Amino acid sequence: MPRGPNAERRAATRAKIMDATVRCLAEFGYAATSTPLVAKIAKVSRGSLLHQFPTKIDLMLAVAEHASRVRGATVREYLTPYPEGPERFLQGVDAVWASLQRVEAIALMEVTVAARSDKELAGRYPEFAVDLDALLHRARVRMAENLGIPDRREEIETLAHLTRVALEGLAMSSVFIGRQTDDAARVVALLKQMRQQVIDGLVAHPKPPAR
């Protein structure tokens, strides 16, 4: 169904607001990010912003979802050249690290950390976090299935979770000190080495064909 001009304007306004909020969070942090500041940077009226996002919390949750989608799209785009299976599994480490270099990743970190101290955000953030964890869980299940070892799903899930939390912690450390840490390349290399060991085990001990 074709979209009308009002829907298109609304979508364009929303996109400007999302971009401006990401910039505010990344440059100024959660506490300094306000709806008036976002409206000013987005070059939209505060009324237009409040029409779509009545409160700061509504805006923060929307930008968290937006940032999560951008990170996921970055991972998928990075992995597009690689076929399903061992090579994509191996390159997944670099894909996750690439997604964490996005300014949206910094914005998401700001919202996540703020959910610990902002009572209103803390009351609503868990729903987003649970949905995100469910999405990542499904991705890890597919990863194990595509490797041909569904019986080792728990191991693959744990390794994927380790990759995520290690790289997110590394990225957060980089934000705190204002530059990428010297250990970043070594951590990425070690995580890829761990995944390579899983791949080598598949080659050394292939799963027998089903009878």
Side-chain angles (χ1 to χ4, degrees):
M1 179 181 294
R3 298 172 63 181
N6 288 339
E8 291 177 357
R9 283 197 297 270
R10 181 181 173 87
T13 298
R14 183 184 179 90
K16 289 194 290 185
I17 292 170
M18 287 294 99
D19 289 344
T21 308
V22 165
R23 285 173 54 194
C24 283
L25 287 167
E27 293 179 25
F28 309 122
Y30 179 87
T33 297
S34 64
T35 52
L37 179 60
V38 170
K40 180 180 179 180
I41 291 177
K43 297 181 179 179
V44 302
S45 70
R46 188 157 181 255
S48 294
L49 187 152
L50 294 177
H51 180 69
Q52 297 202 36
F53 308 104
T55 69
K56 177 179 177 177
I57 303 303
D58 293 323
L59 178 58
M60 293 300 103
L61 291 172
V63 85
E65 292 176 359
H66 166 74
S68 179
R69 285 195 298 269
V70 170
R71 277 197 57 190
T74 301
V75 169
R76 290 190 295 274
E77 182 179 357
Y78 190 101
L79 294 177
T80 296
Y82 305 101
E84 295 284 3
E87 187 60 21
R88 179 172 287 202
F89 176 62
L90 181 62
Q91 296 300 328
V93 177
D94 286 327
V96 172
W97 186 233
S99 78
L100 287 163
Q101 308 312 301
R102 303 282 308 233
V103 68
E104 289 84 359
I106 299 176
L108 182 55
M109 289 179 206
E110 286 286 339
V111 176
T112 301
V113 171
R116 183 171 177 269
S117 55
D118 185 314
K119 290 184 179 179
E120 188 178 355
L121 180 61
R124 296 176 58 187
Y125 184 83
E127 182 178 354
F128 161 75
V130 168
D131 289 344
L132 178 59
D133 281 344
L135 179 67
L136 294 172
H137 170 73
R138 291 193 294 271
R140 292 192 292 264
V141 170
R142 288 195 301 272
M143 187 186 301
E145 291 174 345
N146 290 330
L147 283 172
I149 48 174
D151 54 315
R152 294 172 64 186
R153 191 184 75 185
E154 185 174 341
E155 176 188 352
I156 299 302
E157 279 200 67
T158 301
L159 185 53
H161 182 67
L162 173 63
T163 299
R164 177 189 168 199
V165 297
L167 294 182
E168 285 182 349
L170 195 62
M172 188 170 291
S173 177
S174 299
V175 170
F176 287 154
I177 67 175
R179 61 176 175 79
Q180 196 171 109
T181 67
D182 295 335
D183 293 330
R186 289 194 289 272
V187 172
V188 171
L190 178 60
L191 290 169
K192 292 184 74 173
Q193 181 182 336
M194 293 168 69
R195 291 196 177 201
Q196 185 63 57
Q197 289 173 350
V198 173
I199 294 170
D200 292 344
L202 292 175
V203 174
H205 306 287
K207 188 175 181 180
R211 294 183 178 181

